Amino acid sequence: MNAKTDLTGAPLPPEDSNSANIIGTTTQKPTTALFPRGSRRERPGTLALTIGFGLVAVCLAGLFTSPSAAIGGAWCIGMMLVLLFLSVPVAIALSVPSIIGVYAVSGIPATMNILSTAPFSAVSDWSMSVLPMFIFMGMLLTQSGLSGKVYRVADHWFSWLPGGIGIGTTFAGAGLSAVTGSTIGMTYALGRAGIPEMLKAGYDRRMAVGTVMVSGMTGNLIPPSILMVVYAGIASVPVGPALMAGALPGIVLAVCFAAFIFALGVVAPKLVGRGQSAQNPTNTTDTTRPTTTWRDRFTSLTSVWGFAIILVVLFGGMFSGIFTPTEAGAAAALCSLLLCLWEKRDDGPWRKVADSAMDTVAATSAIFFIMIGATMLTSLLAITGLAPILTGLITDLGLSRIGFLLVLIVLYIVMGMFFDTLSMMLLTIPILLPTLETMGVSPLWFGVFVVLLGEFAMVTPPVGIIPYIVHSIAKNSEVNLGATVTLRDIFISLLWFLPVGVIFLILMVAVPGMTEWLPDLISRTSGGMPG
């Protein structure tokens, strides 16, 4: 990972991006760190390191003295968890214990085999070529300032409703999902733009920050979704159907949050500035929001013409059968390149393209290293025989399909207090995949389910990364307009919104066809959807 990528390797908005300032003031770089103290990115202290490496030594001793290969595999899993707690890069935390475990169980020949085959087999599949295309597209569109324009359009079209600015922020989040694929990057853009706009309109500060946090939960569901591509690689499912499977659930989730904000606007209008002055009494500047006419709404659509073209190329190409998902990603990246050159034609366009290309290489290589680690973990589970043992243990519990999934919901939410989305996916998917067929769970549906649970993990207190990012953004005086937003406010706001997401999860369990409808439709209309 580098400083310009998030926890999944997806792009973050550049600090001088137009998305950093949408309300018309002079663009300034943020005055607070993106990852503040207290986030999971903070390095562990001396005591934590001492305890952690002591536990690693215990795991190593247990591995080399294990009476069976399966117990040795369990020691390796324990070592991975300790390394992740120590903030060791995910790729290293996965690969090093796997290599040591294979050596301890099967000796040097098996170790040399995994070192020679895993790096190539993990990333050489042609369908993985869509990953750098999507990342490059997100980088270019962020550089072009499209994120700010998408927010302005959503604000214009929904601001007249009760809670309309919050609703607009929610749908802007869904729109940005379709061009960035990064929850953290989208949250940063929406936080800088949406929080001051909602505070101007008299929104309760908890309502403002809560809306921004949950708006990002669609970030890795609506295509192009980097995590869905990674899941497809780990689970060996076609990339195209995996990408399309998350589209409808992502849209429905955005609608659910929008409906919740609208209901609050009707039931408790003070939370959304209704019946109050739109003037922020703690701010000395004029914060009155201009009146938006229907002419303004239709005019605003012209500013996102490039976004419309990219959506037509991406989805129209796949629906018509002209493009495979990989080809559609390449065509959309080309459109994004032309759009960035046009939008920044007077502001060093080729420099921005070069920066986007370099960041794409860094982000793609980081994700590929992580996938190599996941492949090594899968090999470890197979060699030690741990995978069938775990599958047998889960099967012996006698759980129904719904019971199994409800247990997973609780498990992932708890894990989300300690791990980021990608870490959880890579640790659990290789273990759970053999169980899915026994439980009657579609691997395609399970990918959407896991990614959505990962989105929950990113906002789950006390160490989910999104609350700390929003808190960091809200410390900026240009964002909070003089109001004080505490971590307590952040966590209270999550208590308001997260039950809506839990209800949606239950809906997904009850209606599994939600994830497979769009892939099936594209397959029927295009005569098939290869990766």
Side-chain angles (χ1 to χ4, degrees):
M1 309 291 172
N2 67 4
K4 294 183 180 180
T5 60
D6 66 16
L7 298 176
T8 69
L12 287 173
E15 290 185 341
D16 60 348
S17 168
N18 289 348
S19 65
N21 177 17
I22 299 181
I23 57 177
T25 57
T26 303
T27 302
Q28 297 181 2
K29 291 185 179 183
T31 58
T32 55
L34 182 58
F35 296 101
R37 291 183 61 82
S39 79
R40 68 181 65 175
R41 276 297 184 96
E42 186 179 1
R43 293 183 179 180
T46 303
L47 178 60
L49 285 173
T50 303
I51 296 173
F53 284 113
L55 291 173
V56 169
V58 171
C59 291
L60 285 171
L63 169 62
F64 284 97
T65 58
S66 298
S68 67
I71 295 176
W75 280 112
C76 290
I77 298 296
M79 194 189 314
M80 290 178 195
L81 295 174
V82 172
L83 291 176
L84 288 170
F85 273 114
L86 291 176
S87 297
V88 172
V90 176
I92 296 175
L94 290 172
S95 58
V96 171
S98 298
I99 294 170
I100 296 174
V102 171
Y103 170 74
V105 172
S106 300
I108 292 179
T111 306
M112 296 303 296
N113 181 62
I114 191 176
L115 287 173
S116 61
T117 60
F120 180 78
S121 63
V123 300
S124 61
D125 190 278
W126 168 247
S127 63
M128 289 296 102
S129 61
V130 75
L131 188 63
M133 294 296 99
F134 282 162
I135 294 176
F136 190 43
M137 179 176 66
M139 292 283 189
L140 289 168
L141 292 177
T142 300
Q143 290 278 9
S144 70
L146 184 65
S147 56
K149 296 176 182 178
V150 170
Y151 179 82
R152 280 195 294 270
V153 170
D155 182 28
H156 282 333
W157 276 90
F158 296 103
S159 58
W160 61 278
L161 293 168
I165 305 174
I167 294 172
T169 300
T170 300
F171 286 122
L176 292 175
S177 302
V179 294
T180 66
S182 169
T183 302
I184 292 178
M186 179 174 53
T187 300
Y188 188 88
L190 287 180
R192 293 281 297 182
I195 292 175
E197 290 295 304
M198 284 183 273
L199 292 177
K200 278 184 187 182
Y203 275 54
D204 185 283
R205 62 189 184 279
R206 294 164 295 185
M207 190 73 183
V209 296
T211 299
V212 168
M213 284 188 287
V214 299
S215 296
M217 289 183 67
T218 60
N220 279 298
L221 290 177
I222 299 177
S225 167
I226 293 171
L227 285 185
M228 289 302 298
V229 175
V230 172
Y231 172 82
I234 300 171
S236 299
V237 299
V239 170
L243 283 169
M244 293 300 102
L248 182 59
I251 294 171
V252 174
L253 179 59
V255 170
C256 288
F257 281 124
F260 175 71
I261 294 169
F262 177 82
L264 284 181
V266 173
V267 175
K270 288 185 178 181
L271 291 178
V272 296
R274 291 284 172 131
Q276 297 180 353
S277 170
Q279 181 85 10
N280 186 338
T282 61
N283 194 28
T284 57
T285 60
D286 181 14
T287 59
T288 304
R289 284 174 55 86
T291 302
T292 302
T293 64
W294 283 101
R295 180 176 180 178
D296 293 333
R297 294 185 179 100
F298 283 105
T299 302
S300 68
L301 294 175
T302 60
S303 65
V304 293
W305 59 270
F307 180 57
I309 291 176
I310 290 170
L311 289 182
V312 170
V313 170
L314 191 62
F315 293 102
M318 284 190 287
F319 266 105
S320 63
I322 297 175
F323 296 139
T324 66
T326 302
E327 293 166 346
L334 175 61
C335 292
S336 302
L337 171 63
L338 298 176
L339 177 64
C340 183
L341 291 175
W342 172 258
E343 292 290 342
K344 297 298 179 180
R345 57 191 179 277
D346 298 324
D347 188 22
W350 290 108
R351 178 63 182 174
K352 294 186 180 299
V353 171
D355 289 343
S356 297
M358 292 298 295
D359 291 339
T360 299
V361 171
T364 303
S365 59
I367 293 177
F368 279 178
F369 272 117
I370 290 172
M371 293 181 67
I372 292 169
T375 301
M376 291 181 175
L377 172 60
T378 302
S379 298
L380 172 72
L381 294 174
I383 290 173
T384 60
L386 195 58
I389 292 175
L390 292 173
T391 300
L393 288 175
I394 295 173
T395 305
D396 290 343
L397 293 176
L399 296 174
S400 64
R401 171 185 171 275
I402 293 179
F404 170 67
L405 295 174
L406 291 178
V407 169
L408 286 185
I409 290 175
V410 175
L411 173 65
Y412 274 100
I413 290 177
V414 172
M415 289 182 66
M417 298 180 183
F418 308 101
F419 299 109
D420 59 71
T421 306
L422 196 56
S423 300
M424 291 194 308
M425 288 176 58
L426 296 173
L427 279 172
T428 58
I429 290 172
I431 296 173
L432 293 173
L433 276 176
T435 313
L436 298 183
E437 185 176 355
T438 304
M439 292 292 177
V441 178
S442 162
L444 198 62
W445 180 92
F446 187 70
V448 179
F449 183 70
V450 167
V451 170
L452 180 56
L453 287 174
E455 296 296 293
F456 268 88
M458 297 188 75
V459 298
T460 304
V463 291
I465 195 68
I466 295 297
Y468 294 97
I469 289 176
V470 172
H471 183 238
S472 175
I473 295 169
K475 290 179 181 178
N476 193 312
S477 59
E478 293 182 1
V479 174
N480 61 38
L481 304 183
T484 300
V485 180
T486 66
L487 269 177
R488 183 174 183 272
D489 294 329
I490 298 284
F491 292 152
I492 288 175
S493 68
L494 287 172
L495 293 177
W496 296 355
F497 284 91
L498 285 184
V500 178
V502 173
I503 293 172
F504 179 78
L505 274 174
I506 296 172
L507 177 64
M508 267 194 65
V509 173
V511 189
M514 182 192 307
T515 62
E516 298 178 1
W517 175 78
L518 187 57
D520 289 344
L521 177 63
I522 295 179
S523 181
R524 291 195 302 269
T525 56
S526 64
M529 187 168 54

